[in-house]
Amino acid sequence: ANVIKGVAVGLSPVDESSPDAGHYKASWETDSTARGGRNRDRAVGYVRNTAYYARWVEYGNGHPSDPAHHVLLRAAQLGGRNQ
């Protein structure tokens, strides 16, 4: 999870003209548990972004001027290659 978080931070877009520039990039968190999976018998790692607008950064908002960045998707794809 920490590897994927590191990649996500690196891929995160920053809008320098925004009053909260860098907030999205600074909002990545990781968590883990040893009691995950359907039968609660597997270790699970979580990566999430707590910025309220993270879903629009990831999936876009439907406007061509604000495309989807797929930060978490790309981070998981790239981070998994290091293992």
Side-chain angles (χ1 to χ4, degrees), residues 55-69:
R55 65 180 168 264
W56 295 306
V57 175
E58 185 72 16
Y59 302 113
N61 64 5
H63 300 301
S65 61
D66 293 317
H69 291 278

Side-chain angles (χ1 to χ4, degrees), residues 33-59:
T33 180
R35 307 278 303 159
R38 184 175 183 174
N39 296 323
R40 304 262 185 236
D41 60 348
R42 304 195 183 216
V44 176
Y46 299 97
V47 181
R48 67 180 154 271
N49 191 298
T50 59
Y52 74 90
Y53 52 86
R55 65 180 168 264
W56 295 306
V57 175
E58 185 72 16
Y59 302 113

Side-chain angles (χ1 to χ4, degrees), residues 1-82:
N2 287 324
V3 171
I4 293 172
K5 175 188 173 186
V7 175
V9 168
L11 293 173
S12 293
V14 176
D15 182 2
E16 297 296 337
S17 65
S18 173
D20 61 347
H23 177 71
Y24 176 81
K25 188 172 191 168
S27 296
W28 289 101
E29 294 181 351
T30 59
D31 193 14
S32 63
T33 180
R35 307 278 303 159
R38 184 175 183 174
N39 296 323
R40 304 262 185 236
D41 60 348
R42 304 195 183 216
V44 176
Y46 299 97
V47 181
R48 67 180 154 271
N49 191 298
T50 59
Y52 74 90
Y53 52 86
R55 65 180 168 264
W56 295 306
V57 175
E58 185 72 16
Y59 302 113
N61 64 5
H63 300 301
S65 61
D66 293 317
H69 291 278
H70 301 295
V71 176
L72 188 55
L73 173 66
R74 292 186 299 144
Q77 290 171 336
L78 293 171
R81 292 183 185 162
N82 294 332

